Amino acid sequence: MKDMQNVQHLTEEERRLVGYNADEFVDENFSGHSYVKEIILTLFANKATAISLICLLVIVLFAIFAPMLSPYTYKEINSKTTNMPMRIPVLEDLGIFDGTRKGVDMYAKKGIEDQYHYFGTDNLGRDIWTRVWVGTRISLLIAVLAVVLDVVIGVTYGMVAGFFGGKIDMIMQRLIEILTGIPNLIIMMLLLLAMEPGIPTICLALAITGWVNMSRIVRAQVLKLKSNEYVLASRTLGASPKRILLKHLLPNTMGQIIITFMFSVPHAIFFEAFLAFIGLGVPIPMASLGTLINDGYRSAMLYPYQVLCPAAVLSVLMLSFNLLGDGLRDAIDPQMRSM
Amino acid sequence: MQANDQREVLLKVENLKQYFPISRSYTVKAVDDISFTIHRGEIYGLVGESGSGKSTTGRSIIRLYDPTDGKITFCGQDISGKMPRDTVRMLRTKMHMIFQDPMASLNPREKVMDIIAEGIDIHQMYSSQEERREMVYAILKKVGLSKEHANRYPHQLSGGQRQRVGIARALIMKPDLIIADEAISALDVSIQAQVVNLLKSIQVETGCAILFIAHDLSMVRYISDTIGVLHLGHLVESGTTADVFEHAVHPYTRSLLSAIPRPNPLLEKDRPIMTYDYKTSGLDYSQGTYHDITDTHKVLGTDADVQRWLKELA
Amino acid sequence: MNNQETILKISDLSISFKTFAGRVNAIRGIDLELHRGETLAIVGESGSGKSVTVKSVLGIHAANEIIDSGRIDFTYQDESGKTVTRNLLEMNDKQLQKEIRGKHIALVFQDPMTSLNPTMTIGAQIMESVLRQKGVTRPEARQRALELLQLVGITDAEKRFKNYPHQLSGGMRQRVVIAIALACDPDLLICDEPTTALDVTVQAKILDLIKDIQRKKNLTVIYITHDLGVVARVADTVAVMYAGKLVEKGSAEDLFFEPAHPYTWGLLLSVPDMDENSDSLYTIPGSPPNLLKPVEGDAFAPRNQYALEVDRHREPPMFRISETHSAATWLLHPDAPRVEMPEPLRRRIDSMREEVKNAGK
């Protein structure tokens, strides 16, 4: 009403009745929405997630390239240079990590002033830097392989149980309950005793106990989705169960699967480390983060860096995976944020 | 409307019962002994409040549920029990459904193209990818969308457009019967009108019959040739639109009609609403039988009830 | 109407939402005034900003919501009985919670099931709200809760007191929600689509109930709805929103009998007429604008059959038609060509008038 006074006259042109132009009804309201883009943007809007993603990338890159670029190998034993302290170029000029122990330059003492062991060496004279990254590589490999196996078993089991329901589901759930009734550690130890120790065995041991969680999550999701109207629509069109499972239920469970994957990997890494720590790890001279910590732990009082270096990498790795998982969950499934 | 009887019967539902056992001692009788017929090219409006069993009826007919009892005949074939292969195929190609929530009824991970083509994919109704694409484009045009929409995901569409995609998915199969289950209740008023217009024009163009399930009586009145009123799993009254809207006999139907709000502020403000409460009404639906008021108009009730209602109206 | 006490005054309210695609200007300058005891209905499609507007009255803001400008002045009596007027937008969440929400302004949601706590008896839930008032003892609260249940038309209140929400029907639940909203004797009741989740037969009863209570307690009520039938039944004043702006406001009579904005014409026409048979329903062509982009001229112009050239460049101001009625369309400008409302609408309104005459009013 207040605007009434200051409205000027309309020009001749402005008074013309033009109506609408039907060709202009191309609506662009929603065309810009992109699900994937939104997820990525939400992901990076979260600082913790972005940092953890960068950390993870750096760790993976180091795990791949650091051993290649290092002048040492992970199994090369050198009795001359045992338990060398850390020596890192540039930083040594600042007076830290300069290869001295109690004021004595150990590198000068051994006459290897041209050598740099970034993380020092262990009691067999092996370069810990190289071993840490080889160990990370193996830990990651075991964890990812184990979790992929998890996903394959868990998703199949969960989808079948959730989709067919009824008696099938009942039997399948009881089976899981029996399986979870047996302590994981016993299954793993029996398996590791029965089979040759090595990466495949450890993977299998981890997967055998890990898939239950995945199958439960997938089953719950399928139970929720299968009464959705698009699944009903597909049924009224005569779709086979296989088609419904693969075309409708699987793609819509993918978010949950990725989230669970992200949380399972650190869990598997940790479990692998734990197995290594109780002496069921990869055979020597191979190294995983777990075996490295186990080795370093023995001389932790004298040479703390031998345990701290692999432990630090393990911590950062696990933290990054967990934070990334958190961020992904927020981005993919905002309703789960409160959980 | 009087031509109804000469027209071919498309769907015949006889004494359909759909019970859901909840526990050993408790069974929900969602649909309890209802019968009606839909003729070819007819729009049948099924109205009732939530919990009246109207959606269940639709889902039983399209066999998302296995009916507890009763006989459903569609295109001359019995589809109520275990069906032979051909019958399943006939049912799945000739009868389709449009759902209430346009967002929930479209798979969010599929493009519109694949959503619409699902039926023809399943039944292999094309010979080349080119033909598949053309079929989808033709249907998109028919429901008022453009080719460009085929490459979008459901969340890139507005509510009304999503419902059009849902209609296109049913329509591409050239069905004889479309069940529209509350197909407009999740939409805005102005969009509702668009979708209803579309459904009506489809019916005129393709001659397919529509079972229009809704709780909004004004829309049902507008679109339907014949109307059935469901209450607590019973079909309490059925007849042509004029029968039901102008000569309603059953007290429940009358209370429903009186409850429709009218956009006239001067009268609406204190227009009295007829109340109806089954518990206190003294009626027992399971005792009633169908009484013919006219050829097309049926009411459920005991002889005494119907006599009384007719007297009240006279 | 002007001599009445103003209870709520929204001036020049603009709200936008930050999204990844950019800023969505959801509310673009709204002015609204509400008097004590009045019933206002805000009508509009989803996305027109009607919910955002009333939520901002209650101080319910989304995380990505930005208030660009405006103020919401609410007049009430504080605890000492003094009449104060405060800008709700300047109060923080704690203050609002302590002084305003539930006490002076209460909200009734669309879905009664989600707004009730399923693990508490309805009696306990009503008492909880009553106990928010200072100096109320538990026995008093219980007594008050029982009275409230009776007030909302629950006859066997004593028995129902111990019921859980799932033991009640949809209509009953909505009555309980209303009872909770009324627990602290609010001045303003906001009903966000209060009957859309209910059946038609129950719908009218709930509306009548709210109307009845309103009369008894001199409540001010805001309805948000898209159902014009509901508007006709309850509203004194109607505000029509489109794309974040008020396009027309006036008394219910103004709006239904003398609509002035082409959008209102479209809305009224798209409701199927119970007494008329036509081949197709009227629909408004096109779709609402994308508020991510700045709106040039009148937001409704691209869909408006009666758009003027000026609509494309300049936003129409609110033109005053009568004391109570105003609309934002250039068609009301003295220089604009004379445009009549569409013929079918004219006919429908005439028959409505006829009906009123026949009813003897």
Side-chain angles (χ1 to χ4, degrees), chain C residues 41-348:
Chain C
I42 304 181
V43 193
E45 297 173 68
S46 47
S48 61
K50 51 192 198 307
S51 278
V52 179
T53 309
V54 295
K55 277 187 182 145
S56 67
V57 170
L58 276 166
I60 303 173
H61 301 291
N64 58 344
E65 188 174 332
I66 305 158
I67 293 168
D68 297 312
S69 71
R71 49 188 296 137
I72 300 175
D73 291 307
F74 179 60
T75 310
Y76 63 101
Q77 291 193 327
D78 67 5
E79 267 159 30
S80 57
K82 210 168 67 199
T83 305
V84 289
T85 301
R86 298 191 64 176
N87 182 359
L88 296 180
L89 290 179
E90 275 167 7
M91 292 171 82
N92 63 30
D93 203 61
K94 220 168 160 185
Q95 286 172 312
L96 283 169
Q97 191 63 27
K98 197 168 147 248
E99 291 180 29
I100 305 293
R101 275 183 225 143
K103 286 201 171 168
H104 293 284
I105 306 180
L107 182 62
V108 173
F109 284 103
Q110 177 172 355
D111 185 356
M113 199 58 210
T114 51
S115 50
L116 289 174
N117 181 347
T119 62
M120 274 169 84
T121 62
I122 58 162
Q125 293 187 54
I126 301 173
M127 272 175 69
E128 197 184 32
S129 309
V130 177
L131 283 168
R132 279 193 59 202
Q133 282 173 314
K134 270 205 188 113
V136 180
T137 60
R138 285 195 74 84
E140 276 169 18
R142 196 187 143 79
Q143 192 49 43
R144 177 98 180 88
L146 283 172
E147 283 168 25
L148 281 166
L149 278 177
Q150 272 151 9
L151 178 72
V152 296
I154 295 178
T155 41
D156 40 356
E158 194 77 48
K159 232 166 72 192
R160 292 289 180 198
F161 205 77
K162 287 201 181 71
N163 278 164
Y164 286 92
H166 69 264
Q167 293 170 306
L168 306 176
S169 66
M172 281 289 209
R173 272 182 224 139
Q174 196 61 299
R175 284 169 197 264
V176 173
V177 173
I178 294 170
I180 291 174
L182 295 173
C184 289
D185 267 326
D187 303 301
L188 176 62
L189 186 68
I190 297 176
C191 302
D192 189 351
E193 306 263 8
T195 56
T196 22
L198 304 175
D199 294 315
V200 237
T201 44
V202 185
Q203 184 175 327
K205 283 185 206 152
I206 294 289
L207 293 178
D208 288 350
L209 170 73
I210 298 175
K211 231 161 53 178
D212 193 42
I213 294 169
Q214 180 182 14
R215 214 170 294 141
K216 279 185 202 155
K217 307 214 155 201
N218 196 24
L219 262 178
T220 314
V221 184
I222 300 180
Y223 281 96
I224 304 175
T225 181
H226 62 258
D227 188 335
L228 290 168
V230 170
V231 176
R233 191 161 184 93
V234 297
D236 304 323
T237 320
V238 187
V240 182
M241 281 188 78
Y242 181 78
K245 282 201 85 124
L246 279 185
V247 293
E248 183 162 4
K249 63 183 169 192
S251 70
E253 228 181 303
D254 292 334
L255 256 293
F256 282 96
F257 290 106
E258 294 293 337
H261 197 285
Y263 178 66
T264 317
W265 296 347
L267 268 190
L268 288 171
L269 270 176
S270 57
V271 181
D273 190 355
M274 292 302 286
D275 312 304
E276 193 184 325
N277 286 305
S278 55
D279 286 338
S280 70
L281 289 170
Y282 178 84
T283 60
I284 304 169
S287 47
N290 188 349
L291 293 176
L292 268 170
K293 295 175 192 151
V295 176
E296 209 181 310
D298 181 5
F300 187 61
R303 302 171 70 188
N304 185 358
Q305 198 181 338
Y306 308 98
L308 303 181
E309 184 59 36
V310 61
D311 275 315
R312 305 192 162 222
H313 318 293
R314 271 200 284 158
E315 197 157 30
M318 266 291 189
F319 288 98
R320 192 171 190 156
I321 302 160
S322 72
E323 187 76 3
T324 53
H325 190 189
S326 50
T329 167
W330 284 115
L331 293 178
L332 294 170
H333 192 281
D335 293 347
R338 258 196 89 61
V339 171
E340 288 294 331
M341 67 174 79
E343 191 43 41
L345 185 59
R346 167 65 38 210
R347 248 184 290 133
R348 201 185 279 192

Side-chain angles (χ1 to χ4, degrees), chain A residues 7-245:
Chain A
V7 172
Q8 324 91 314
H9 279 285
L10 297 180
T11 63
E12 226 22 78
E13 170 65 12
E14 281 177 335
R15 287 177 209 179
R16 202 157 55 85
L17 189 68
V18 288
Y20 58 78
N21 180 358
D23 298 338
E24 281 174 20
F25 294 149
V26 198
D27 74 294
E28 286 151 356
N29 266 10
F30 302 93
S31 57
H33 289 221
S34 160
Y35 185 71
V36 175
K37 205 171 112 196
E38 208 140 284
I39 286 181
I40 292 172
L41 285 168
T42 322
L43 209 54
F44 283 101
N46 185 341
K47 276 199 196 84
T49 316
I51 293 170
S52 64
L53 196 66
I54 292 166
C55 283
L56 213 57
L57 267 175
V58 169
I59 289 176
V60 169
L61 285 176
F62 268 93
I64 295 170
F65 295 110
M68 292 183 196
L69 298 173
S70 165
Y72 316 100
T73 64
Y74 70 95
K75 54 186 177 185
E76 181 189 354
I77 299 174
N78 190 341
S79 54
K80 224 178 88 193
T81 58
T82 55
N83 298 328
M84 295 297 282
M86 293 166 76
R87 186 180 183 210
I88 304 170
V90 184
L91 288 181
E92 65 179 342
D93 300 335
L94 300 171
I96 46 167
F97 305 134
D98 55 358
T100 60
R101 181 176 295 136
K102 290 180 181 133
V104 183
D105 187 338
M106 299 301 284
Y107 285 78
K109 200 175 152 193
K110 303 259 168 160
I112 44 165
E113 273 157 322
D114 56 332
Q115 287 187 14
Y116 284 91
H117 293 285
Y118 300 148
F119 286 178
T121 59
D122 64 5
N123 55 4
L124 294 173
R126 292 174 295 196
D127 180 44
I128 295 181
W129 169 264
T130 317
R131 282 180 68 78
V132 162
W133 294 118
V134 171
T136 311
R137 197 194 269 181
I138 288 175
S139 283
L140 272 174
L141 186 76
I142 289 176
V144 170
L145 271 179
V147 176
V148 167
L149 215 58
D150 257 23
V151 170
V152 173
I153 306 173
V155 169
T156 320
Y157 199 93
M159 287 190 80
V160 169
F163 184 71
F164 292 102
K167 281 216 177 76
I168 298 176
D169 184 35
M170 222 270 290
I171 293 166
M172 287 175 95
Q173 290 314 299
R174 296 299 89 76
L175 256 175
I176 282 191
E177 274 157 28
I178 293 168
L179 207 64
T180 45
I182 311 170
N184 286 350
L185 209 56
I186 292 178
I187 300 178
M188 286 187 195
M189 282 168 84
L190 286 176
L191 200 73
L192 289 168
L193 288 174
M195 287 170 71
E196 212 168 291
I199 295 178
T201 316
I202 296 175
C203 283
L204 198 67
L206 289 172
I208 272 184
T209 51
W211 64 271
V212 170
N213 188 33
M214 178 65 84
S215 86
R216 282 197 174 135
I217 284 167
V218 171
R219 174 176 170 268
Q221 190 71 7
V222 167
L223 279 178
K224 197 178 90 187
L225 290 176
K226 77 170 177 182
S227 57
N228 250 359
E229 290 184 343
Y230 60 82
V231 177
L232 297 183
S234 191
R235 280 173 61 195
T236 62
L237 287 163
S240 62
K242 186 178 142 210
R243 187 188 167 88
I244 293 174
L245 279 169

